[in-house]
């Protein structure tokens, strides 16, 4: 598969997300890195965004709370190239009611090859990288072949075509079209 380049500009678009038991850690990290974060566009889910905005003193683009769709909103922004990287302090010891959304968010970050930090140490390494203050071309697989791939027929569809080949039936991938041929 070939790759496409997506340019990350000097000012990055950063998503900050934290589970309830990790919000304090994320806020402490963000306060320590306030000056670095201030010249970037920062997004956050729900309550995390409200706390960060109050503590950091600059505007945070606030989305829904994670369990109310915020994780999915962040994932959609990643897919639309509106977020350059994700800092997500998630709690590995506490089950979350929206675990499928969390997994989907992390999956989007991997699919679109954006950097992910899931704890303070990885967030420290990311934010202090020399790549933070410059442009960067992120390589992303070219998914055009995947989008335009031929879809295999289902077993039921193939069986129907086997059963009725001479009866004048034409089975479409989306619906069955019955063609009747009248012999005169």
């Amino acid at each position: 598969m070939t790759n496409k380049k997506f340019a990350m500009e000097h000012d990055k678009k950063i998503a900050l997300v934290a589970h309830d038991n990790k919000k304090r850690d994320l806020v402490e990290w963000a306060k320590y890195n306030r000056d670095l974060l201030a010249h970037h566009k920062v997004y956050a889910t729900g309550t995390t965004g409200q706390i960060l905005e109050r503590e950091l003193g600059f505007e945070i683009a606030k989305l829904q709370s994670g369990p109310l769709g915020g994780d999915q909103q962040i994932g959609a922004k990643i897919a639309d190239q509106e977020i350059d990287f994700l800092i997500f302090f998630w709690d590995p010891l506490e089950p979350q009611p929206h675990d499928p959304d969390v997994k989907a968010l992390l999956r989007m970050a991997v699919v679109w090859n954006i950097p992910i930090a899931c704890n303070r140490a990885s967030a420290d390494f990311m934010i202090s990288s020399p790549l933070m203050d410059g442009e960067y071309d992120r390589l992303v697989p070219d998914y055009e072949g995947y989008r335009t791939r031929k879809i295999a027929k289902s077993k039921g569809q193939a069986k129907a075509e086997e059963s009725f080949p001479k009866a004048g039936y034409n089975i479409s991938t989306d619906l069955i079209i019955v063609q009747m041929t009248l012999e005169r």
Side-chain angles (χ1 to χ4, degrees), residues 134-159:
E135 293 182 6
Y136 175 77
D137 286 331
R138 182 169 46 92
L139 295 178
V140 176
D142 184 354
Y143 293 116
E144 193 56 33
Y146 179 80
R147 288 185 187 104
T148 59
R149 73 194 184 283
K150 262 191 154 176
I151 306 296
K153 295 177 183 178
S154 70
K155 288 180 183 177
Q157 183 180 358
K159 188 172 182 175

Side-chain angles (χ1 to χ4, degrees), residues 60-157:
I60 306 291
K62 294 177 289 299
L63 304 171
Q64 292 293 328
S65 173
L68 300 178
D71 295 335
Q72 291 180 341
Q73 286 178 302
I74 296 275
K77 288 187 173 299
I78 291 169
D80 289 340
Q81 312 307 317
E82 295 175 23
I83 290 183
D84 295 321
F85 72 85
L86 172 65
I87 296 176
F88 185 1
F89 285 15
W90 58 279
D91 187 350
L93 302 178
E94 193 70 32
Q96 302 295 324
H98 63 296
D99 270 341
D101 297 341
V102 171
K103 184 177 181 182
L105 172 57
L106 294 171
R107 182 178 173 279
M108 284 297 96
V110 171
V111 165
W112 294 101
N113 193 30
I114 68 163
I116 311 164
C118 293
N119 56 41
R120 189 169 188 147
S122 57
D124 285 342
F125 272 84
M126 259 176 39
I127 198 86
S128 63
S129 167
L131 299 173
M132 277 300 298
D133 283 324
E135 293 182 6
Y136 175 77
D137 286 331
R138 182 169 46 92
L139 295 178
V140 176
D142 184 354
Y143 293 116
E144 193 56 33
Y146 179 80
R147 288 185 187 104
T148 59
R149 73 194 184 283
K150 262 191 154 176
I151 306 296
K153 295 177 183 178
S154 70
K155 288 180 183 177
Q157 183 180 358

Side-chain angles (χ1 to χ4, degrees), residues 159-179:
K159 188 172 182 175
E161 287 179 350
E162 272 179 29
S163 300
F164 303 105
K166 294 183 178 129
Y169 291 100
N170 180 5
I171 310 298
S172 168
T173 56
D174 297 322
L175 63 123
I176 298 174
I177 300 172
V178 179
Q179 295 178 333

